[in-house]
Amino acid sequence: MPTNFTVVPVEDEEGGGNSAATARGSRPVSLGRIFREEDNKDDSQEPHSGDDSQRESSPFINTDDDREHYYEGKNMALFEEEMESNPMVSSLLNKLANYTNLTQGVREHEEAENEDGVRRVAVMVPQMGTFIGVYLPCMQNILGVILFLRLTWIVGTAGILGSFAIVSMCCICTLLTAISMSAIATNGVVPAGGSYYMISRSLGPEFGGAVGLCFYLGTTFAGSMYILGTIEILLTYIVPTETVFNDSAAMSNHMRVYGTCCLLLMALVVFVGVKYVNKLALVFLACVVLSIMATYAGVIKTIIELPEVNVCLLGNRSLKNDMFETCAKTEVVKNVTMFTELWGIFCDSKYPNATCDEYFTLNNLTEIQAIPGLLSGVIKDNLWGDYGPAGTYIEKKSQPSVQAQDLSSDIDKPYVFNDIATYFTLLVGIYFPSVTGIMAGSNRSGDLRDAQRSIPVGTIMAILTTSFIYISCVVLFGACIEGVVLRDKFGYSVKKNPVIGILAWPSPWVIVIGSFFSCCGAGLQSLTGAPRLLQAIARDGIIPFLQVFGHGKANGEPTWALLLTVGICEIGILIASLDAVAPILSMFFLMCYLFVNLACAVQTLLRTPNWRPRFKFYHWTLSFLGMSLCLSLMFISSWYYALVAMVIAGCLYKYIEYRGAVKEWGDGIRGLSLNAARYALIRLEEVPLHTKNWRPQLLVMCKLDSDLGVKHPRLLSFTTQLKAGKGLTIVSSVLEGTFMTRGNDAKMGEKNLKAAMAAEKMKGFSHVVVSSNLRDGFSLLVQSAGLGGMKHNAVLMAWPAGWGEARDSSSWRNFIETVRETTAAHQALLVAKNIDHFPGNQDRLKEGTIDVWWIVHDGGLLMLLPFLLSQHKVWRKCKMRIFTVAHMDDNSIQMKKDLQMFLYHLRLDAVVEVVEMQESDISAFTYEKTLVMEQRSQMLKQMQLSRTEREREAQLIHDRNTASHSAMNDREAGATPDRVHMTWTKDKLVNERNRQREGMGVKDIFNMRPEWENLNQSNVRRMHTAVKLNEVVLKKSRDSQLVLLNMPGPPKNKKGDDNYMEFLEVLMDGLDRVLLVRGGGREVITIYS
């Protein structure tokens, strides 16, 4: 296989799509393009998101822009029509065989133009193996500053056993994380992006973005820690005389000044080109390896010969020996007793009668070996820890000492003190950064020859190797070095040499120089990797405010991300303490590792079909153990830092959830949601729903206009205002036709519904069905919308305005049939009149009332709806009033008290009013009320009319609608006419219609006694009920913000459907906002807790 190739533009050729030459030529077909060809036709108008989501959702990686058909010959003519969507197996295997995966934005491509101006890009095929590509980078990232600057201090402070526990916990944590990471990394191709890519694609954009940013912050603060380590080595061991400040906080200020300069220098190197950092990587790794080898060589040398390094003790206190040479109070020079430098330090003069420090006077000076050697038995003294607060002396407990009374001047003496308070949990936080870096191999997945094999083997081998190094160093340090020297963090007692340096062979400078370049290299690697990680997150588009950091130089270098990284890194440097910065980055790394384990555990437990990792040595229990260990280490290290890290991650999660781009990456959280939803739906159907758990789950019948837009958007606004019950919402619509011809219209309509729902901030589902007629479509939705226990229990629709003027009667007939079907399905029905006059979600009703006219009791929904509306900010300031109707024989005062008590038990605040109506007026209404309460078991006898008589009845009702209320009053005042038979001929009916069209006056039909007597008395009574009830409602609720009325049921006999619409129209006449409510036949509100 060639190691490189050149990409040049090629002109399309006409008519070569099906030729054998084209099929075998230089332009192989793109399977990704073939598979997405139809989708691209639909989505061609959508803007490019820039996140390669189509590439990730496709089963193939490489795509190009050709649209040729990979079809040749006639042997497969049977499948000829499917070739565009289902390519032949030969082309599939050809694309997979030629697959290459290149890193994005990491490698700098050298570009040039030839004489013809054709740009050529040389692309190297990845050839890195396990050792070079994974093992060595992980080793370089894991071994670093903590090993050389803090491990000896941790061993001396925590003891060998405590240090062994710290190292073991941290190494086991990273090993378990590496196992989980290996399973994820081998479950398909992992493009460049490493841990962020794995977490985001396994747990979704919310977790991925939050944890990705935490990992970015951890990597950035790691750069601060490495730079602080570099400056500490520089100022403590290499050039301690290069000082700027001389006050008590001089060291901290020096760290800030020199650290900032070092950060700017490193940032400049990274900006100029990452290839220089990559070229120096092997040099830095060589420094680490040589330093470790020198340490092991020094340990072996102690068996043969002990280093001539001593420690001076005053009593049992360790002294800084950089200010004196002789560890004695006096010395004999040419037979003359002379006072040493120590005498001058602890006494006020060099004479025998000088006043000396009390502790200096009471105790003797002793010189002991700093490195007793491997065979000395010092390991027994170093088994246990020696913790203490800041400012305590570093003492050898077994050495005799006499305590002084006056300790006021000890701070000025050359004692070695603890600079910070030491305790076990602090040491865990400081040590953990030394085991980070296990993601280095996965971050280079694009450069590996076989990433699915190299990442698990290389990472786990690197962790095992470094774990052996750390554990062996803990034991060897404790077995070779004196305890007071181990606890001397900066090596003041050994002439300002690093403690590990005095053990190394042949010289301490091997450790000093090696650790210095190691820290420099690690800092450069952090400043190189962190901006690219931020750029990858920004280019995914999941966090809007990070979009600017996705841009960079022409070659892909993340310039803006580098500037932000430098700014955050400077914050860590201003802290000016390696011990304070280490726990911060420990939190972020531990959180990242926690979610890697969680991702593996979730994928394993869900058993999704796509979860088929090649790495088989994993189990969900190991992932949960690793996750638990990460969480424990977070709170062990620093509980307040852990809480801060969790708050940051939580805020990022919620921000991405509400403001971030919607991504579908096939993540495990989506699979977990599916499993949880399936389990919940099954559980919901096991037992019937209790009244206390009832909430309106709405099926919203939304009408689309000719452009497939939402005709009544205020219907969605009202639905949102009713969602205080937090129930299910399904917004649906019906298109007339066949699915084969109107399938695209259905998709567009559903898209418009979703857009309208998003504009109203409504949470729910949308569904558009295509049916041969609207009637069947509505019936289909009423019957089948929802799933299992999450089915709708109420239907919300708009009143068919203008039904009387429409030539086609299908609109109101469909409406009545929907009313019948909801009744038969035991579902509630809400019908909103003048829905376009209802308030929007941005409106605020500052005053007014919501009036409930409780005529019949059909489950209590009529009283529950105002309560739900009052929970929304639009209706919050509206008061609730309940009206009911009393007979003349009823005690209206007692009814009012009973109703108030009933509302009190229902925990509803409302004003109660009982309306009395005359017995003559209520008689027909009472009959109607009785029928509805018995759940419509009996209905009024329907009119049995001939076709001519039906037309006459329709004309009579239409004429009645056009009559004034004064005419109705005249009708009420008239006497009951005698029964007279009169024949209504067809000619007379035509004449009446012509007179109406010409605008001529029409005689009041209710004063026509022959006409009155021939009307069906049932219709008369029902119309009379509607008129009288409308007058009462208008009198009481004309100015109310919303009126809720019981909706009477339709007649069983379909011949009276048009009359039913007239009755409802008269009932709502003169009211602006009306909501007709029809219960579902079950109680929805209860007085019990």
Side-chain angles (χ1 to χ4, degrees), residues 27-34 36 40 61-68 95:
R27 299 183 63 219
V29 70
S30 167
L31 293 186
R33 175 65 66 182
I34 290 177
R36 300 198 317 265
N40 288 346
I61 313 299
N62 289 350
T63 60
D64 50 46
D65 294 332
D66 61 76
R67 296 177 178 267
E68 298 177 8
K95 294 302 290 184

Side-chain angles (χ1 to χ4, degrees), residues 182-368:
S182 299
I184 298 174
T186 58
N187 187 52
V189 177
V190 179
S195 58
Y196 163 69
Y197 184 91
M198 290 188 293
I199 295 173
S200 61
R201 270 56 176 182
S202 297
L203 292 179
E206 294 87 0
F207 278 111
V211 180
L213 276 182
C214 287
F215 189 54
Y216 162 74
L217 292 174
T219 306
T220 304
F221 277 103
S224 302
M225 184 188 71
Y226 292 129
I227 292 174
L228 290 174
T230 302
I231 302 305
E232 183 177 309
I233 295 170
L234 181 70
L235 296 181
T236 306
Y237 307 121
I238 300 179
V239 284
T241 58
E242 294 296 326
T243 59
V244 178
F245 305 97
N246 295 315
D247 55 355
S248 58
M251 187 61 183
S252 298
N253 293 327
H254 287 152
M255 296 284 280
R256 294 184 180 100
V257 172
Y258 286 103
T260 302
C261 296
C262 182
L263 172 63
L264 295 176
L265 181 62
M266 288 185 177
L268 181 62
V269 172
V270 173
F271 179 79
V272 169
V274 69
K275 57 185 177 182
Y276 300 112
V277 178
N278 293 333
K279 290 179 180 178
L280 293 174
L282 287 178
V283 177
F284 299 142
L285 179 61
C287 293
V288 175
V289 173
L290 287 176
S291 300
I292 294 174
M293 291 177 63
T295 303
Y296 282 115
V299 172
I300 297 173
K301 184 175 179 294
T302 60
I303 302 176
I304 305 171
E305 180 184 0
L306 296 177
E308 296 181 358
V309 180
N310 297 321
V311 179
C312 185
L313 300 179
L314 177 60
N316 62 357
R317 300 177 185 177
S318 177
L319 298 177
K320 300 178 182 178
N321 62 0
D322 59 334
M323 302 175 62
F324 58 89
E325 293 293 335
T326 304
C327 183
K329 296 181 181 180
T330 60
E331 60 179 345
V332 178
V333 179
K334 296 181 181 180
N335 296 326
V336 178
T337 301
M338 303 288 293
F339 295 103
T340 63
E341 294 93 338
L342 279 174
W343 183 277
I345 294 172
F346 284 92
C347 301
D348 56 1
S349 68
K350 294 185 178 181
Y351 299 101
N353 59 351
T355 302
C356 296
D357 181 78
E358 183 180 1
Y359 188 82
F360 181 77
T361 305
L362 295 175
N363 292 277
N364 296 321
L365 289 165
T366 308
E367 196 170 34
I368 61 174

Side-chain angles (χ1 to χ4, degrees), residues 1020-1035:
V1020 173
R1021 289 194 302 270
R1022 297 174 72 183
M1023 179 61 69
H1024 212 54
T1025 299
V1027 171
K1028 287 300 180 183
L1029 191 56
N1030 176 257
E1031 289 178 357
V1032 175
V1033 173
L1034 280 176
K1035 181 179 178 182

Side-chain angles (χ1 to χ4, degrees), residues 5-79:
F5 61 89
T6 303
V7 180
V8 295
V10 180
E11 297 296 331
D12 291 338
E13 296 181 5
E14 301 268 350
N18 294 329
S19 66
T22 305
R24 291 190 287 266
S26 60
R27 299 183 63 219
V29 70
S30 167
L31 293 186
R33 175 65 66 182
I34 290 177
F35 270 70
R36 300 198 317 265
E37 188 165 353
E38 290 191 22
D39 294 337
N40 288 346
K41 293 177 182 178
D42 299 333
D43 302 336
S44 59
Q45 302 301 323
E46 297 181 7
H48 178 59
S49 61
D51 64 344
D52 294 333
S53 60
Q54 288 183 338
R55 177 180 62 82
E56 293 169 2
S57 63
S58 172
F60 309 104
I61 313 299
N62 289 350
T63 60
D64 50 46
D65 294 332
D66 61 76
R67 296 177 178 267
E68 298 177 8
H69 300 168
Y70 197 84
Y71 170 68
E72 177 182 3
K74 300 179 180 179
N75 292 332
M76 293 296 165
L78 182 61
F79 301 94

Side-chain angles (χ1 to χ4, degrees), residues 716-724 839-841 868-869 872 874-875:
L716 301 182
S717 303
F718 186 65
T719 305
T720 305
Q721 295 157 20
L722 271 176
K723 285 300 295 298
N841 289 331
L868 297 178
L869 286 174
H872 196 274
V874 174
W875 304 89

Side-chain angles (χ1 to χ4, degrees), residues 551-601:
H551 307 292
K553 293 193 294 186
N555 60 358
E557 289 298 310
T559 307
W560 294 107
L562 177 62
L563 292 177
L564 179 64
T565 303
V566 171
I568 298 175
C569 196
E570 176 65 17
I571 296 174
I573 290 175
L574 293 178
I575 297 175
S577 172
L578 188 149
D579 301 322
V581 172
I584 297 177
L585 64 99
S586 295
M587 292 303 109
F588 293 121
F589 278 119
L590 279 168
M591 182 165 290
C592 177
Y593 296 165
L594 184 150
F595 280 99
V596 169
N597 285 292
L598 176 62
C600 180

